[in-house]
Amino acid sequence: MTTTAITNIAALVTNDPSLCADSPLGLIRDAAVVIEGDRVVWTGESSKAPATDNAVDAGGRAAIPGFVDSHSHLLFAGDRTEEFNARMSGRAYSAGGIRTTVAATRAATDDELSANVARYLAEGLRQGTTTFETKSGYGLTVEDEARALRIAAQHTEEVTYLGAHIVSPDYADDPAGYVDLVTGPMLDACAPYARWVDVFCEKGAFDGDQARAILTAGIAKGLHPRVHANQLGHGPGVQLAVELGAASADHCTHLTDADVDALAQGTTVATLLPGAEFSTRAAWPDARRLLDAGVTVALSTDCNPGSSFTSSVPFCIALAVRDMGMTPDEALWSATAGGAAALRRTDIGRIAPGARADLVLLDAPSHVHLAYRPGVPLVHAVWQRGERVG
């Protein structure tokens, strides 16, 4: 296979602390990376780089792992501009707005949904995101949920069944009947296309008992659990996620001390989604509290048409540093290695021998510029699976 060396990197974030005792990011100065096929095969000082077939001069730029966006909702149609405008004018956010997107998504064709997913994946890729998780949840019928996941699986390997986003409008008077559908015929139709099962465990969506039934049914079908937990208020979501060994509890905005302790003692990653708080003017998650307790934290966009319509991980990094108590190093780690942990992946989120060759060159000498220069398009080049794609 052809080998390529990217040399003259001012600062290389490897996320391999064994490479640099002074930095949990495994930071290497004046560095180089060698790619063979779709893998990283060497990292180190630029002057020591081995001979390769091709060479790319990074020009003194920083290099970071590709962002791992471990929570998004890209299978949708329609627009919720009016809802956002009203919310910015004083109306509170609730789970009910999802129904607007459900109606538009059901009416869309397969081609329209697929084009929409491709559009937002490309948008994220231009901003350095090389791995996207995405969910169903805007169909809420057996046919619409299954087609959403079938389409998603054509675009990404990280696909989540979220039939339990809200109770379908068709079952407004029979939520128990909808849970039976989600754990029965809908799950049977959707499981072949998904890796994960998720539930919105929240007032206005599904309570703890319903969420447990949905997640355990998914586990029995071979899907791995993750949970929308504790976004709008205190609730059972985080505790349930830890109890069931979920890969991730997502949002984690309203936590008790017991919730934090459970996350610290378990294997569940706390995925924080500051785009949602930005777009709903809600209280920020306390990342500092989680990190100080020893919780593994991921940072993701929650890209969706209602409460966080952004595909920009750099934007979320800037929010996390400015408003959630994270350092620039912690925010970058959480948006790369943290996202990989939330997907239980070891081949992404780092730049080290054996890892998938997903990396980003920044038009800056340091990764700190992601928070230092918010809103500035700093991505100079992107490699995904060893191929330069931007």
Side-chain angles (χ1 to χ4, degrees):
M1 290 182 285
T2 300
T3 55
T4 299
I6 306 171
T7 62
N8 193 19
I9 298 169
L12 172 66
V13 173
T14 67
N15 283 339
D16 183 351
S18 70
L19 298 178
C20 179
D22 297 329
S23 170
L25 296 181
L27 196 65
I28 304 175
R29 305 283 182 183
D30 189 19
V33 176
V34 175
I35 297 169
E36 183 175 10
D38 67 350
R39 298 284 151 175
V40 174
V41 295
W42 185 90
T43 60
E45 296 177 11
S46 195
S47 61
K48 299 177 182 178
T52 56
D53 301 311
N54 303 304
V56 176
D57 187 340
R61 297 177 174 88
I64 63 174
F67 298 124
V68 180
D69 195 342
S70 61
H71 183 125
S72 74
H73 302 253
L74 305 183
L75 266 298
F76 71 89
D79 180 89
R80 284 159 69 180
T81 303
E82 291 184 6
E83 176 190 328
F84 177 80
N85 191 35
R87 191 163 63 244
M88 293 301 102
S89 302
R91 192 175 80 193
Y93 173 69
S94 72
I98 293 168
R99 294 178 180 86
T100 304
T101 301
V102 169
T105 303
R106 289 179 178 181
T109 67
D110 288 10
D111 287 346
E112 287 169 339
L113 291 177
S114 184
N116 215 33
V117 174
R119 171 188 174 190
Y120 293 115
L121 289 176
E123 187 176 276
L125 187 63
R126 290 195 297 271
Q127 298 172 90
T129 299
T130 51
T131 301
F132 255 108
E133 178 271 356
T134 199
K135 311 175 192 296
S136 65
Y138 291 124
L140 309 186
T141 67
V142 172
E143 179 182 352
D144 285 305
E145 287 294 295
R147 74 163 178 149
L149 293 172
R150 184 178 67 249
I151 292 167
Q154 296 168 4
H155 294 275
T156 179
E157 59 211 324
E158 298 294 347
V159 178
T160 300
Y161 167 49
L162 184 60
H165 202 178
I166 59 169
V167 174
S168 169
D170 308 322
Y171 284 79
D173 298 324
D174 185 17
Y178 186 64
V179 172
D180 289 342
L181 182 72
V182 169
T183 58
M186 187 182 289
L187 175 60
D188 292 341
C190 290
Y193 304 107
R195 182 183 178 205
W196 305 97
V197 59
D198 198 347
V199 59
F200 190 15
C201 184
E202 199 72 59
K203 184 178 180 180
F206 298 89
D207 64 23
D209 290 340
Q210 292 169 326
R212 181 188 301 277
I214 290 161
L215 293 172
T216 54
I219 293 168
K221 275 287 188 180
L223 303 181
H224 305 286
R226 51 200 322 110
V227 184
H228 281 63
N230 300 55
Q231 177 188 5
L232 305 179
H234 295 288
V238 164
Q239 295 286 341
L240 181 61
V242 174
E243 176 192 334
L244 295 180
S248 182
D250 297 24
H251 288 289
C252 293
T253 309
H254 300 276
L255 301 177
T256 64
D257 289 345
D259 293 331
V260 176
D261 289 344
L263 287 165
Q265 294 169 19
T267 60
T268 299
V269 174
T271 298
L272 307 183
L273 308 165
E277 281 70 40
F278 177 87
S279 296
T280 60
R281 289 180 174 160
W284 299 102
D286 189 348
R288 185 78 270 136
R289 179 187 182 195
L290 290 164
L291 290 164
D292 288 347
V295 177
T296 300
V297 173
L299 196 61
S300 186
T301 65
D302 191 19
C303 185
N304 75 81
S307 62
S308 183
F309 204 5
T310 180
S311 59
S312 176
V313 173
F315 172 66
C316 292
I317 287 173
L319 292 179
V321 172
R322 168 63 177 80
D323 292 304
M324 289 162 47
M326 300 184 87
T327 68
D329 283 11
E330 289 167 339
L332 177 61
W333 189 95
S334 294
T336 51
L343 295 174
R344 295 200 167 153
R345 298 275 296 272
T346 59
D347 61 328
I348 55 176
R350 61 192 182 97
I351 301 175
R356 201 168 77 180
D358 294 348
L359 61 122
V360 177
L361 282 184
L362 301 176
D363 268 328
S366 166
H367 65 279
V368 177
H369 282 236
L370 291 166
Y372 180 42
R373 304 196 68 208
V376 177
L378 293 177
V379 173
H380 175 77
V382 180
W383 279 260
Q384 186 180 46
R385 297 180 178 88
E387 294 289 332
R388 184 167 179 171
V389 293

